[in-house]
Amino acid sequence: MKLKRPASLEALLEALQKLPSIGRRSAERLASHLLTAPQAEVEGLAAAMLKVRATLLPCGTCGHLTENQPCEICSDSQRDDSLLCVIAGEKELYALAEAGVFNGRFHVLGGLISPLKGIGPKRLRLEALHARLQDGAVTELVLALPPTTEGETTAHYLKETVPAGIKLTRLGIGIPLGADLDYLDAGTLDRALQGRQEF
Amino acid sequence: MKLKRPASLEALLEALQKLPSIGRRSAERLASHLLTAPQAEVEGLAAAMLKVRATLLPCGTCGHLTENQPCEICSDSQRDDSLLCVIAGEKELYALAEAGVFNGRFHVLGGLISPLKGIGPKRLRLEALHARLQDGAVTELVLALPPTTEGETTAHYLKETVPAGIKLTRLGIGIPLGADLDYLDAGTLDRALQGRQEF
């Protein structure tokens, strides 16, 4: 009595479930849409996925995925060469660059150290980072890493390996603007209290 | 200062946002994964999307997307020809067929009547449905349509157009098994009370 899904549909469901935060139910909803959407829409999505892979390559300097070498950030003469902001990936780079709040250079690590996931320092763009610190132009390294175990591990690793003489700073931890205090976790409240400032 | 996303990335973000319940933020998360995942994974997903479109075609009888004509449901000799269950799409068909609770035949409408979305009866597989009702084999039409405005509109349209002599039934409305009463909406509670049964 039970209906088996066709092999091609099962293959699509499996491929969709490799995407972040897509479980079986979400995959079924997406597959159902892909089955019934206009053919041009599905072809367009498949082509767009392959095209970003073919056109965007890591910038040889900072690692940001770009159409041009060096990328638009590294080739921007208005930026401050003495400030270098270290981020985990593209998401974080766009978050900071689009907010327009940082006028230095960036360095994309391409991940975070995670013993649990088997990601060691060698998997990250750390050699490239150290190479950028050799000529003495960078005086401050801003660690814009997430306040998670992996972010902390990576920050401590950098603290131990970055050449002396370069100032290391981290993003402040506290209450986000507009947040409801009663929705924040105890850890954040604790750090916000520790970091309280005179008014 | 603001960083513009490359054209190919913007194109991918737009294509992703055409998927159901994928907004800008989810599209960015998906794109970020697609940019950094192994090349084979991205190629596999693109290929799987195109393959379902090429291999699955609507069954000439019931409209279910299938590799074989007629589909495995229409060609199953164990099913009851007198019971025909009308559903909106593939999702609903799999939900019922996988639960193994219905032993009749199915008819996929390919949508629901929706004046708001400009979907009239002619966009649905209604002619094919009426053709299946001609030979008198079907004695009961089970409307397994969602209890929404669009589902109700479609159900009422069917009630007016289905030949006399065919019994029309609908799925019962009430409290789902395991549900917390205090999480249910007033409409459902009202219908469950109206449909109360002697114990």
Side-chain angles (χ1 to χ4, degrees):
Chain A
M1 189 89 66
K2 284 222 176 182
L3 185 64
K4 256 187 71 181
R5 283 185 167 73
S8 60
L9 182 52
E10 271 303 339
L12 176 60
L13 289 170
E14 266 178 42
L16 287 169
Q17 284 176 83
K18 290 184 183 151
L19 296 172
S21 31
I22 302 292
R24 179 79 188 179
R25 297 291 284 180
S26 307
E28 281 173 3
R29 199 168 308 128
L30 292 174
S32 168
H33 176 84
L34 292 169
L35 276 169
T36 50
Q39 177 72 14
E41 185 185 322
V42 180
E43 282 176 4
L45 175 57
M49 280 166 42
L50 298 174
K51 188 155 184 210
V52 285
R53 302 287 300 208
T55 55
L56 298 185
L57 297 169
C59 168
T61 308
C62 74
H64 166 44
L65 293 169
T66 174
E67 284 168 344
N68 314 300
Q69 294 287 346
C71 77
E72 48 278 47
I73 297 174
C74 290
S75 58
D76 180 353
S77 62
Q78 305 287 312
R79 288 184 175 266
D80 184 345
D81 282 320
S82 69
L83 269 176
L84 186 59
C85 179
V86 177
I87 63 262
E90 290 291 301
K91 280 202 301 283
E92 292 79 6
L93 185 145
Y94 277 107
L96 282 162
E98 289 195 327
V101 290
F102 181 73
N103 192 31
R105 308 279 176 190
F106 287 97
H107 191 84
V108 179
L109 292 179
L112 294 168
I113 296 173
S114 170
L116 272 177
K117 295 183 192 156
I119 301 174
K122 281 185 184 155
R123 292 269 294 277
L124 308 183
R125 297 184 64 259
L126 288 167
E127 255 181 64
L129 174 62
H130 284 100
R132 291 180 78 178
L133 302 177
Q134 290 313 311
D135 67 1
V138 175
T139 56
E140 181 177 345
L141 205 61
V142 183
L143 305 185
L145 302 172
T148 60
T149 310
E150 296 177 354
E152 295 288 304
T153 308
T154 310
H156 281 104
Y157 181 87
L158 284 167
K159 194 171 181 175
E160 280 168 27
T161 53
V162 159
I166 294 176
K167 190 173 160 188
L168 232 74
T169 57
R170 304 172 64 176
L171 294 189
I173 292 198
I175 300 160
L177 287 184
D180 281 328
L181 285 197
D182 48 342
Y183 278 97
L184 286 170
D185 61 296
T188 301
L189 290 173
D190 182 33
R191 296 288 288 268
L193 258 176
Q194 284 177 36
R196 65 189 181 274
Q197 296 175 322
E198 207 165 328
F199 181 62
Chain B
M1 190 86 68
K2 283 223 179 182
L3 185 63
K4 258 187 69 180
R5 283 183 167 74
S8 60
L9 182 52
E10 271 303 341
L12 176 61
L13 289 169
E14 267 177 44
L16 286 168
Q17 283 175 85
K18 291 185 183 150
L19 295 172
S21 29
I22 302 292
R24 178 80 189 181
R25 296 292 284 181
S26 308
E28 281 172 3
R29 200 168 308 130
L30 292 175
S32 168
H33 176 85
L34 291 169
L35 275 169
T36 51
Q39 178 73 11
E41 183 185 324
V42 180
E43 283 175 4
L45 175 58
M49 282 166 43
L50 298 173
K51 187 152 185 215
V52 284
R53 303 287 299 208
T55 55
L56 299 185
L57 297 169
C59 169
T61 307
C62 74
H64 166 44
L65 293 170
T66 174
E67 284 169 344
N68 312 301
Q69 293 288 346
C71 77
E72 47 277 47
I73 297 174
C74 290
S75 59
D76 179 354
S77 61
Q78 306 286 312
R79 286 184 177 268
D80 184 345
D81 282 320
S82 69
L83 269 175
L84 186 58
C85 180
V86 177
I87 63 261
E90 290 290 302
K91 279 201 303 281
E92 292 80 7
L93 186 146
Y94 278 107
L96 282 163
E98 289 195 328
V101 291
F102 181 73
N103 192 31
R105 308 278 176 191
F106 286 97
H107 191 84
V108 180
L109 291 179
L112 294 168
I113 296 173
S114 170
L116 272 177
K117 295 182 191 155
I119 300 174
K122 281 184 185 155
R123 293 269 294 277
L124 308 183
R125 297 185 63 260
L126 289 167
E127 256 181 65
L129 174 62
H130 283 99
R132 291 179 79 179
L133 302 177
Q134 290 313 311
D135 66 2
V138 175
T139 56
E140 181 177 346
L141 206 61
V142 184
L143 305 184
L145 302 172
T148 60
T149 310
E150 297 178 353
E152 295 288 303
T153 308
T154 311
H156 281 103
Y157 182 86
L158 284 167
K159 194 172 180 176
E160 279 168 28
T161 54
V162 160
I166 294 176
K167 189 172 159 188
L168 233 75
T169 57
R170 303 173 64 177
L171 293 189
I173 292 198
I175 300 161
L177 287 183
D180 281 329
L181 286 196
D182 48 342
Y183 277 98
L184 286 169
D185 61 295
T188 301
L189 290 173
D190 182 32
R191 296 289 287 268
L193 259 178
Q194 284 177 37
R196 66 188 180 277
Q197 295 174 325
E198 208 166 328
F199 182 63

